[in-house]
């Protein structure tokens, strides 16, 4: 039985814990928060026998094999590195780091300590996304010429000190949700040859909407993320023979529509829980096989993704105060 510890007790940690209970072979044994009462309440809710009021106690606990980092972006590198130096395997919420420098340091520490380390890019393990990737790779819709993906919701009414609108917490749409459209383009088409981007900023200084064009040898990807309106959140991949439409919300989808020669077929693959179950299973499989990284979402994949995001940031001038 693989023993999990969770750092942070916010919304995503709750979703993850509910899905962990649906996966065999693993159990939640500990949770840590800077607020001990919050940790104890979380542990009670999910049946974890251990609660800690400091992250260090969790990292040094002999009750835990792998730690899920579920805190804001700006803490990912520091906490992952501390956990790995304590000999723990780590699943760190996306984005792995705020910039490529952080990600490179995290991967270096993982290799030095010979522990499993993976970015929690849950969409990569979604059954529908895996199937769509297979269809694209085997030429079902021909040569890809166009990809479109968006992810936006209204958040300008939220607390400006919260993680989305606060530059000190690496706020803005790009790192939080823009990472998903970028990921889809990278997964299906690889590293772009050229990137164009345009952004608008909030009064706090964070970017609140960004449009991107990724140029490839024979394709273009039109990508968007934003915090000042909603968007459809349906992804489209079009090729010389047909198109695939990934049903909304595409980053946590349960199905797709395939269109070829005017014929349309809807495929519903469903999903277990909210969908974190699949990345949890991947971690279990890797740990049981003695792997230190995933073949489906490797260290190099995380490097590539943050490199693309750094390039986009440079194009539009997204700089955080702590950098």
């Amino acid at each position: 039985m693989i023993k999990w510890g969770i750092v942070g007790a916010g919304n995503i940690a709750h979703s993850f814990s509910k899905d962990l209970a649906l996966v065999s072979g693993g159990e939640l044994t500990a949770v840590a928060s800077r607020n001990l009462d919050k940790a104890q309440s979380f542990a009670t809710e999910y049946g974890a026998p251990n609660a800690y009021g400091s992250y260090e106690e969790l990292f040094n606990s002999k009750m835990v094999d792998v730690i899920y980092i579920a805190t804001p972006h700006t803490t990912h590198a520091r906490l992952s590195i501390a956990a790995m130096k304590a000999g723990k395997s780590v699943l760190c919420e996306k984005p792995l780091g705020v910039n490529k420098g952080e990600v490179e340091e995290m991967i270096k520490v993982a290799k030095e300590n010979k522990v499993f380390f993976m970015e929690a890019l849950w969409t990569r393990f979604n059954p529908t996304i895996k199937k769509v990737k297979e269809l694209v790779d085997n030429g079902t819709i021909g040569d890809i010429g166009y990809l479109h993906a968006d992810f936006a919701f209204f958040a300008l009414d939220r607390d400006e000190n919260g993680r989305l609108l606060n530059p000190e917490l690496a706020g803005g749409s790009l790192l939080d949700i823009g990472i998903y459209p970028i990921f889809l383009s990278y997964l299906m088409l690889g590293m772009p040859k050229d990137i164009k981007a345009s952004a608008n900023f909030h009064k706090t200084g964070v970017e609140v909407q960004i449009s991107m064009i990724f140029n490839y040898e024979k394709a273009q990807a039109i990508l968007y993320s934003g915090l000042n309106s909603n968007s459809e959140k349906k992804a489209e991949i079009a090729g010389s023979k047909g198109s695939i439409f990934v049903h909304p919300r595409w980053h946590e989808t349960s199905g797709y529509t395939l269109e070829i020669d005017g014929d349309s077929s809807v495929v519903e693959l469903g999903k277990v829980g909210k969908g974190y179950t699949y990345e949890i299973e991947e971690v279990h499989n890797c740990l049981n096989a003695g792997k230190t990284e995933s073949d489906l979402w490797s260290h190099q994949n995380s490097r590539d993704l943050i490199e693309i995001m750094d390039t986009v940031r440079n194009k539009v001038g997204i700089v955080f105060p702590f950098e």
Side-chain angles (χ1 to χ4, degrees), residues 30 50 52 56-65 88:
N50 303 284
Y52 303 112
E56 290 69 27
E57 285 178 275
L58 175 57
F59 299 156
N60 293 316
S61 169
K62 291 188 167 45
M63 304 301 298
V64 171
D65 302 313
K88 297 295 188 289

Side-chain angles (χ1 to χ4, degrees), residues 255-311:
Y256 66 92
T257 298
L258 177 64
E259 289 186 3
I260 295 178
D261 295 330
D263 291 328
S264 178
S265 57
V266 176
V267 180
E268 279 293 337
L269 294 175
K271 61 182 179 182
V272 175
K274 188 169 174 61
Y276 296 102
T277 48
Y278 305 104
E279 69 177 1
I280 293 168
E281 286 173 346
E282 177 68 6
V283 173
H284 288 178
N285 291 339
C286 289
L287 289 175
N288 288 329
K291 292 182 175 181
T292 54
E293 62 181 299
S294 164
D295 295 330
L296 282 178
W297 192 250
S298 67
H299 294 168
Q300 187 57 48
N301 292 145
S302 291
R303 281 193 184 102
D304 289 347
L305 190 64
I306 196 68
E307 183 178 316
I308 294 171
M309 290 200 292
D310 277 0
T311 301

Side-chain angles (χ1 to χ4, degrees), residues 29-295:
T29 57
V31 60
S33 171
R34 288 171 299 183
N35 181 321
L36 180 57
D37 288 343
K38 195 173 180 182
Q40 288 173 333
S41 173
F42 191 102
T44 300
E45 184 173 352
Y46 296 103
N50 303 284
Y52 303 112
S54 77
Y55 301 143
E56 290 69 27
E57 285 178 275
L58 175 57
F59 299 156
N60 293 316
S61 169
K62 291 188 167 45
M63 304 301 298
V64 171
D65 302 313
V66 56
I67 291 173
Y68 173 57
I69 308 286
T71 50
H73 309 334
T74 45
T75 62
H76 288 179
R78 175 173 58 83
L79 294 176
S80 293
I81 286 168
M84 291 188 290
K85 283 185 174 178
K88 297 295 188 289
S89 293
V90 168
L91 174 67
C92 178
E93 197 43 65
K94 57 83 198 156
L96 209 49
V98 169
N99 52 48
K100 193 170 186 188
E102 286 192 350
V103 171
E104 290 290 3
E105 181 63 22
M106 295 161 89
I107 292 171
K108 177 170 166 281
V109 171
K111 291 185 185 304
E112 286 172 352
N113 290 275
K114 298 180 176 61
V115 292
F116 175 82
F117 179 53
M118 189 177 87
E119 182 173 21
L121 205 81
W122 65 321
T123 306
R124 176 63 184 99
F125 310 99
N126 178 290
T128 297
I129 296 297
K130 287 169 74 175
K131 181 60 180 178
V132 169
K133 167 73 169 160
E134 180 187 314
L135 293 172
V136 167
D137 288 352
N138 70 20
T140 297
I141 58 171
D143 297 326
I144 307 304
Y146 169 69
L147 182 146
H148 170 259
D150 59 27
F151 193 159
F153 57 86
F154 187 79
L156 298 189
D157 55 353
R158 300 196 187 187
D159 179 6
E160 290 183 353
N161 293 317
R163 66 181 187 85
L164 282 177
L165 300 178
N166 187 346
E168 295 287 353
L169 295 177
S173 83
L174 181 69
L175 294 189
D176 194 64
I177 54 177
I179 187 172
Y180 288 112
I182 290 171
F183 153 77
L184 190 67
S185 184
Y186 168 69
L187 182 68
M188 300 300 169
L189 294 166
M191 293 293 279
K193 280 174 45 187
D194 178 62
I195 292 174
K196 292 181 172 60
S198 178
N200 285 329
F201 291 80
H202 190 53
K203 60 185 177 181
T204 60
V206 303
E207 150 277 321
V208 289
Q209 63 179 162
I210 186 162
S211 296
M212 298 160 276
I213 300 175
F214 286 9
N215 206 37
Y216 295 87
E217 196 68 48
K218 296 178 179 176
Q220 288 188 335
I222 313 299
L223 313 172
Y224 176 78
S225 67
L227 300 174
N228 60 356
S229 72
N230 197 14
S231 72
E232 188 179 20
K233 293 180 274 291
K234 179 172 80 173
E236 176 182 359
I237 307 162
S240 55
K241 295 179 184 175
S243 297
I244 298 170
F245 299 90
V246 187
H247 301 164
R249 301 185 327 166
W250 72 262
H251 77 292
E252 56 177 353
T253 188
S254 58
Y256 66 92
T257 298
L258 177 64
E259 289 186 3
I260 295 178
D261 295 330
D263 291 328
S264 178
S265 57
V266 176
V267 180
E268 279 293 337
L269 294 175
K271 61 182 179 182
V272 175
K274 188 169 174 61
Y276 296 102
T277 48
Y278 305 104
E279 69 177 1
I280 293 168
E281 286 173 346
E282 177 68 6
V283 173
H284 288 178
N285 291 339
C286 289
L287 289 175
N288 288 329
K291 292 182 175 181
T292 54
E293 62 181 299
S294 164
D295 295 330

